[in-house]
Amino acid sequence: MNRIFLGFLSSLILLSPAAQAEERKKGGTVTGPVIANTLIENFNPFTQQAGANPSRGFIYEPMLFHNTLQNKVEYRLAESHKYSDDLKTVTFTLREGLKWSDGEPLTTADVVFSHEMAKKDAKIDVVSLWQGDKPKLTAVEAIDDRTVKFTLAAPDSSVHGVIAAHYIVPKHIWSKEENHAEFRNKKPVGSGPLTEIKNFKPQQVIVCRNPNYWEAGKPNVDCLKLKQFKGNDQVQVALIRGEIDWGSNFIPDVEKTFVAKDEENNHFWYPAGPTVGIFLNTKRKPMDNLAFRQAFSMALNRPEIVDLATYGYASENPHITGIGNFYAKWYDDEVNAKYDYLNKYSPEKAKALLDEAGYKDIDGDGKRENPDGSKAKIQIMVVNGWTDWMQTVQMVTEYLQEVGIDAQIRTMEIGQKIDKFKGADYDAGILWTDIGATPHTFYQNVLHTKGIGVSLQANHGIHSEEMDSLLDEFIQTADLDRQKEISAKLQAFFAENLMMIPVFSNPEWYQYSTKRFGGWPTAENPFVNPRFYDDGSRVLMINNLYQK
Amino acid sequence: MGRFLGSRLLFYIAAFMVAVTFNFVLPRMMPGDPFEIMFAAAQGKIQPEQMAVLKEQFGFVAGPWHVQYWDYIKGIFSGDLGPSLTYYPTPVTEIISGALPWTVFLAGTSTLICLFIGILLGIFSAYNRGGKFDSIVAPALAFIGAFPQMVSAMLILFGLGVILNWFPVGYGYNPDVDAGWTLEFFMSVAYHAALPLLTMIICGIGGWLFLMRNSMINTLGEDYITMGKAKGLSTRRVMINYAARNAALPVVTAVAMALSFVVAGALIIELIYNYPGLGNEMLGAVASRDYPLLQGLLLIIVVCVLTANFIADLAYFWLDPRLRK
């Protein structure tokens, strides 16, 4: 089957703001925060300073990225991509007349060069396309100036997003450098909306418009100023003082501390991010018993946890299948109807279920014992200092105690927690999950046997060959209907076995001020997930901002 | 004299080697390694497979300990401390040289001001011991100084910075002003240093006052003071030339210690005021297990402590004639 993903949907979304473009003023410098100890004069997109680095997205634009909120592909440097019928090759077509910021043409020669770099040097291969045990690609070849073909190591319908996440840099500049991983690229020549570094200081960097940007009239703003802050509290002060126009950080009691200072202009929007849950090690008692895990889930008052532990900023997951509203387009009504009861707070049902399964208080200490009479005690791991999660786990243990389960919080260092998760040396522990273009990322890391010992979420003891092959099939088909079918099966398997108890969806932190600039993504106009640290999303965001 | 200095020098070289070894070992004894911390900090934004690339990029910290140690020792003597992990591929020396001047300026200025005012007040207080100044101002300063720096810093920041909005609450200077020998730049530096300096002076002055006062009081009981007074010398001459000079010996030791901790001591202040100094970097390096950067920072502290102590030795030599025999 041949699937062409056309870009017209994305242009529709872009058209609506564009229609008002005549009224939109040009110019201005929008200011945002970066959390870092100091900014470093390094605009190499292949180094690990994503948040502090304007090179990703602003200076170097991706060929495309997946707009998770709209569940569609946003074409940037590329205008389309196409898989071959056997899903063994994928071809990208670049837009016409693309130019680097220095005026040189941007062609597939640059694309090939950028990927050849990663092929030669593992340090450049930041998204693991060419190197490692299982490289995803075997060859790249320019068909003509605008068409480039990638040959895949195995059929895979999801690799286009990963390929596009490898940044394209100008061959005519980078081919002169010998050590690409250590190239500081202080005067970048880029392809994105903002490429000209105007003022670099360890405390702030100003990057201004690309004179040769492909999207006519964009960006509306002239420059972006990124200011350095140590932590969330300093960002909060800067927001309140109006020194920055947006924030992407946790702010306690944001209504009072930020919105109330200027209700007309100060806003926040916290859309759902990845699911956070309590992973259970089913190789240990009493977590080995499904009835126990179901009772665990029903014992939790999730709305109250969201309200108290996260100040109400996290989102409740409406279903028990592991995925939250981030993947709302993938929900399956049939599966949800069957398992939703497990997501509801019902301590009475939880108690009944435990009684029935033989978890009774034998020695009269008020805590239930295992059916065989041994103590049923569980420790829930959390990283020391991650206050909202500590509060969450604290509340979880209290709910569990209410139904007679002896649960305790166990705080530790992140490094230690990672080792314990990977080595299945734990009873239970709170953990984030991974997000990607489709729920596949989530289930792959939780369910696939390949992930045991590698993925933090995989070593819980419940796997099945059927799920492994479904997960493999998911990326080997380009048929969306089939993907939805598989996704429903994965959701059912997850809800049936509950190796993880989903608690809530972490919020994406995002505050903005409409005092000087407009065009922000909002709950009413959610054209993109407001992830300013993220590579593709930040391009759409910056292009849509305008000075008032 | 030569023998004294020679033995001191030998001692310092030995101390230096021990200290740099500790600098190497201690960070590595902390649980967790840089990759895991980076991985965790990304919370799902880095896929497990990408860990391999990270390890590749930072291969120089993943080697066996003895290889790392040898590279580290070579680095110290060649001045090449390698690239930082957090800021890869930026060299550690570049990060340190960017931050060092700010710390030296901030901590140096505040120490000198504290020292000067504190010692003068200490002399005055001791000479007029039991007087109004000695029984009201001195204890008051000690009281304020007893507050943890963190608390005073936050109170001052919140009051003068956030609420009254009189002073900036971050940075060494306004980044919109270009650094250079211009009045605008110096004014900006002074304006931004105001709150951190104020905090450090308020916190530090009491300690010096008491050190000098107590040392003075002991000296004032000596017979040569009485004799100086009996000779009819002016109060000022007795106070400064007879008493203060002899009371200064313990203070010199303390000054040496204070100067050596100048580079490390401003950590909390720099953190709270987001001041671009070494302390700020140090905390970040510890949190992310950035071994090369941490080693570099600790090295600077070791060098400062040892140098300052050596200078204190020389000063003793000059102040105390008994050593010259």
Side-chain angles (χ1 to χ4, degrees):
Chain A
M1 205 203 71
N2 217 350
R3 270 189 83 90
I4 304 176
F5 294 86
L6 287 174
F8 75 91
L9 258 179
S10 64
S11 25
L12 269 186
I13 287 288
L14 288 171
L15 271 181
S16 46
Q20 316 153 6
E22 296 98 73
E23 306 152 31
R24 290 194 168 171
K25 267 208 283 183
K26 300 282 172 192
T29 297
V30 62
T31 308
V34 168
I35 301 277
N37 281 320
T38 171
L39 301 180
I40 294 288
E41 200 171 5
N42 170 14
F43 304 106
N44 181 335
F46 304 113
T47 47
Q48 295 291 333
Q49 295 167 37
N53 198 330
S55 60
R56 296 183 177 182
F58 293 140
I59 298 176
Y60 298 99
E61 192 157 352
M63 289 199 285
L64 56 82
F65 76 97
H66 199 92
N67 187 337
T68 46
L69 214 57
Q70 301 290 332
N71 195 22
K72 66 185 169 72
V73 175
E74 300 275 6
Y75 290 96
R76 304 309 302 166
L77 296 183
E79 62 178 23
S80 69
H81 79 284
K82 183 180 158 189
Y83 283 96
S84 63
D85 290 346
D86 56 4
L87 294 175
K88 281 191 173 157
T89 63
V90 55
T91 312
F92 288 80
T93 307
L94 298 179
R95 288 177 194 275
E96 226 179 305
L98 287 179
K99 277 185 185 156
W100 291 105
S101 55
D102 63 356
E104 295 284 320
L106 191 167
T107 67
T108 47
D110 297 303
V111 179
V112 172
F113 171 77
S114 304
H115 281 273
E116 294 280 338
M117 271 166 46
K119 212 169 155 183
K120 274 186 225 125
D121 185 352
K123 292 179 185 175
I124 297 296
D125 190 22
V126 284
V127 287
S128 303
L129 279 168
W130 297 94
Q131 312 269 346
D133 310 335
K134 274 197 163 180
K136 294 191 179 76
L137 301 178
T138 56
V140 53
E141 176 196 355
I143 310 281
D144 58 41
D145 271 2
R146 287 176 51 212
T147 329
V148 57
K149 188 169 92 180
F150 293 88
T151 310
L152 316 185
D156 185 345
S157 67
S158 69
V159 77
H160 59 279
V162 192
I163 292 176
H166 184 82
Y167 283 94
I168 309 303
V169 296
K171 183 181 179 184
H172 64 280
I173 308 276
W174 285 63
S175 60
K176 289 180 204 142
E177 296 299 322
E178 301 222 329
N179 189 340
H180 295 123
E182 292 185 7
F183 176 39
R184 301 272 294 274
N185 196 23
K186 289 186 184 175
K187 293 215 161 53
V189 168
S191 54
L194 303 164
T195 53
E196 310 301 295
I197 305 292
K198 279 281 141 63
N199 176 312
F200 182 86
K201 303 262 169 63
Q203 279 74 43
Q204 90 179 16
V205 53
I206 299 177
V207 48
C208 297
R209 65 166 64 249
N210 174 354
N212 292 304
Y213 192 50
W214 62 269
E215 198 176 346
K218 296 285 180 176
N220 298 312
V221 296
D222 276 340
C223 298
L224 164 74
K225 186 196 276 186
L226 291 171
K227 299 185 84 161
Q228 171 264 342
F229 297 97
K230 277 279 337 144
N232 294 352
D233 44 349
Q234 286 169 1
V235 171
Q236 182 185 346
V237 171
L239 265 173
I240 294 167
R241 288 163 64 119
E243 289 171 7
I244 50 179
D245 296 301
W246 85 81
S248 305
N249 306 81
F250 171 71
I251 288 180
D253 210 357
V254 67
E255 287 96 344
K256 225 184 253 170
T257 53
F258 174 60
V259 176
K261 305 278 171 193
D262 182 355
E263 297 211 358
E264 207 175 305
N265 293 314
N266 291 355
H267 310 279
F268 70 96
W269 174 40
Y270 294 162
T275 299
V276 172
I278 314 266
F279 277 82
L280 300 178
N281 184 356
T282 64
K283 292 174 214 165
R284 287 191 184 173
K285 281 182 187 173
M287 288 75 65
D288 59 340
N289 190 324
L290 177 63
F292 179 87
R293 302 198 294 273
Q294 289 176 334
F296 189 121
S297 179
M298 289 192 287
L300 305 184
N301 187 342
R302 293 179 173 82
E304 209 168 277
I305 294 177
V306 166
D307 233 34
L308 297 179
T310 76
Y311 293 84
Y313 302 145
S315 323
E316 276 174 60
N317 281 6
H319 311 295
I320 193 73
T321 53
I323 51 174
N325 283 340
F326 188 85
Y327 294 118
K329 309 233 153 146
W330 293 83
Y331 287 151
D332 186 274
D333 294 338
E334 209 176 304
V335 174
N336 291 335
K338 189 172 168 198
Y339 296 104
D340 269 355
Y341 74 100
L342 292 167
N343 207 34
K344 304 233 158 56
Y345 175 52
S346 41
E348 294 316 313
K349 272 194 205 161
K351 280 184 202 163
L353 200 56
L354 287 169
D355 287 342
E356 205 181 306
Y359 294 93
K360 294 200 173 111
D361 181 14
I362 303 165
D363 57 11
D365 63 351
K367 311 264 193 275
R368 291 170 193 272
E369 275 77 48
N370 286 323
D372 63 7
S374 58
K375 291 257 178 206
K377 199 173 176 181
I378 66 171
Q379 289 189 322
I380 306 178
M381 304 188 293
V382 62
V383 174
N384 204 357
W386 294 13
T387 48
D388 47 343
W389 284 15
M390 283 168 69
Q391 186 64 33
T392 302
V393 171
Q394 188 62 46
M395 290 182 73
V396 166
T397 59
E398 283 161 19
Y399 291 125
L400 291 177
Q401 280 155 13
E402 272 170 37
V403 299
I405 297 172
D406 186 6
Q408 273 157 6
I409 181 168
R410 170 136 188 244
T411 58
M412 57 181 68
E413 251 247 344
I414 178 71
Q416 200 185 356
K417 190 171 153 190
I418 288 174
D419 286 345
K420 285 186 179 288
F421 269 121
K422 283 189 180 170
D425 178 21
Y426 67 99
D427 296 339
I430 189 169
L431 192 63
W432 65 88
T433 56
D434 298 334
I435 46 178
T438 65
H440 179 267
T441 318
F442 172 87
Y443 291 112
Q444 173 80 13
N445 287 341
V446 174
L447 296 179
H448 206 292
T449 41
K450 221 170 70 179
I452 298 174
V454 183
S455 151
L456 295 190
Q457 294 97 348
N459 213 346
H460 44 69
I462 295 181
H463 300 275
S464 95
E465 275 174 31
E466 192 200 344
M467 292 304 128
D468 281 4
S469 59
L470 282 175
L471 283 163
D472 293 341
E473 191 193 334
F474 188 100
I475 54 166
Q476 285 165 12
T477 177
D479 180 353
L480 189 63
D481 293 331
R482 177 66 189 142
Q483 286 186 334
K484 288 214 157 163
E485 258 172 58
I486 297 176
S487 151
K489 284 187 185 164
L490 294 167
Q491 291 173 41
F493 181 81
F494 182 96
E496 181 61 47
N497 290 291
L498 283 183
M499 62 295 288
M500 165 206 178
I501 311 294
V503 184
F504 51 72
S505 282
N506 240 8
E508 295 282 356
W509 306 114
Y510 166 59
Q511 307 86 18
Y512 59 99
S513 158
T514 52
K515 195 168 179 186
R516 289 183 292 257
F517 292 88
W520 305 98
T522 61
E524 294 76 36
N525 181 19
F527 60 90
V528 71
N529 206 321
R531 289 145 59 104
F532 250 112
Y533 53 84
D534 208 25
D535 324 347
S537 316
R538 72 204 310 204
V539 182
L540 281 199
M541 290 178 78
I542 203 76
N543 280 352
N544 203 44
L545 294 184
Y546 61 90
Q547 194 176 24
K548 280 192 157 176
Chain B
M1 173 178 179
R3 250 185 83 199
F4 170 74
L5 285 183
S7 71
R8 293 311 291 164
L9 255 179
L10 267 180
F11 167 78
Y12 282 116
I13 290 170
F16 178 77
M17 286 316 294
V18 173
V20 294
T21 306
F22 268 106
N23 287 355
F24 177 82
V25 175
L26 284 180
R28 284 169 176 73
M29 282 169 63
M30 292 189 289
D33 73 42
F35 312 110
E36 285 175 346
I37 305 274
M38 212 175 282
F39 182 72
Q43 288 214 359
K45 290 195 287 285
I46 299 181
Q47 294 298 312
E49 307 94 69
Q50 287 166 245
M51 287 286 283
V53 180
L54 281 181
K55 292 207 171 177
E56 183 75 32
Q57 283 197 348
F58 305 139
F60 50 90
V61 285
W65 277 37
H66 63 274
V67 176
Q68 289 185 47
Y69 183 70
W70 179 237
D71 285 348
Y72 164 68
I73 296 293
K74 269 196 301 195
I76 289 177
F77 290 103
S78 62
D80 173 18
L81 300 175
S84 148
L85 292 185
T86 347
Y87 305 117
Y88 181 85
T90 312
V92 165
T93 41
E94 184 181 320
I95 294 164
I96 292 182
S97 57
L100 187 62
W102 292 105
T103 299
V104 169
F105 161 70
L106 189 65
T109 314
S110 69
T111 309
L112 287 180
I113 294 176
C114 279
L115 197 65
F116 185 72
I117 302 178
I119 286 181
L120 275 188
L121 293 182
I123 295 173
F124 183 76
S125 187
Y127 206 75
N128 304 298
R129 59 188 176 282
K132 271 192 194 135
F133 180 87
D134 191 39
S135 37
I136 298 171
V137 181
L141 281 173
F143 178 73
I144 296 171
F147 270 61
Q149 264 194 357
M150 188 167 54
V151 175
S152 327
M154 293 227 246
L155 285 177
I156 291 174
L157 173 108
F158 198 66
L160 299 181
V162 178
I163 294 183
L164 292 175
N165 212 349
W166 287 352
F167 291 98
V169 295
Y171 302 164
Y173 63 100
N174 178 357
D176 290 333
V177 175
D178 281 315
W181 300 101
T182 58
L183 183 67
E184 196 191 7
F185 175 67
F186 283 106
M187 291 306 287
S188 182
V189 169
Y191 188 42
H192 283 74
L195 290 189
L197 276 182
L198 179 69
T199 315
M200 292 174 86
I201 291 169
I202 284 183
C203 291
I205 219 163
W208 292 111
L209 189 157
F210 272 89
L211 187 70
M212 190 63 196
R213 176 186 174 276
N214 296 346
S215 171
M216 269 287 273
I217 285 176
N218 282 332
T219 324
L220 286 174
E222 301 280 348
D223 291 342
Y224 55 79
I225 301 290
T226 324
M227 192 194 135
K229 283 186 188 159
K231 279 204 291 190
L233 295 173
S234 72
T235 310
R236 201 172 140 256
R237 189 136 180 231
V238 176
M239 191 161 84
I240 305 294
N241 291 14
Y242 280 60
R245 185 170 172 184
N246 286 296
L249 274 178
V251 178
V252 168
T253 323
V255 170
M257 291 308 287
L259 283 180
S260 61
F261 283 110
V262 152
V263 281
L267 192 142
I268 288 172
I269 298 288
E270 288 178 358
L271 196 70
I272 292 174
Y273 291 104
N274 191 13
Y275 206 77
L278 290 178
N280 214 342
E281 290 302 336
M282 173 110 89
L283 197 87
V286 171
S288 60
R289 308 288 192 272
D290 189 342
Y291 300 144
L293 182 55
L294 201 50
Q295 280 161 190
L297 292 166
L298 291 172
L299 178 70
I300 298 285
I301 294 175
V302 166
V303 170
C304 287
V305 170
L306 294 180
T307 313
N309 275 289
F310 189 62
I311 292 171
D313 278 348
L314 293 181
Y316 262 61
F317 206 72
W318 172 65
L319 283 171
D320 190 345
R322 284 168 294 185
L323 282 175
R324 268 175 269 182
K325 278 176 197 158

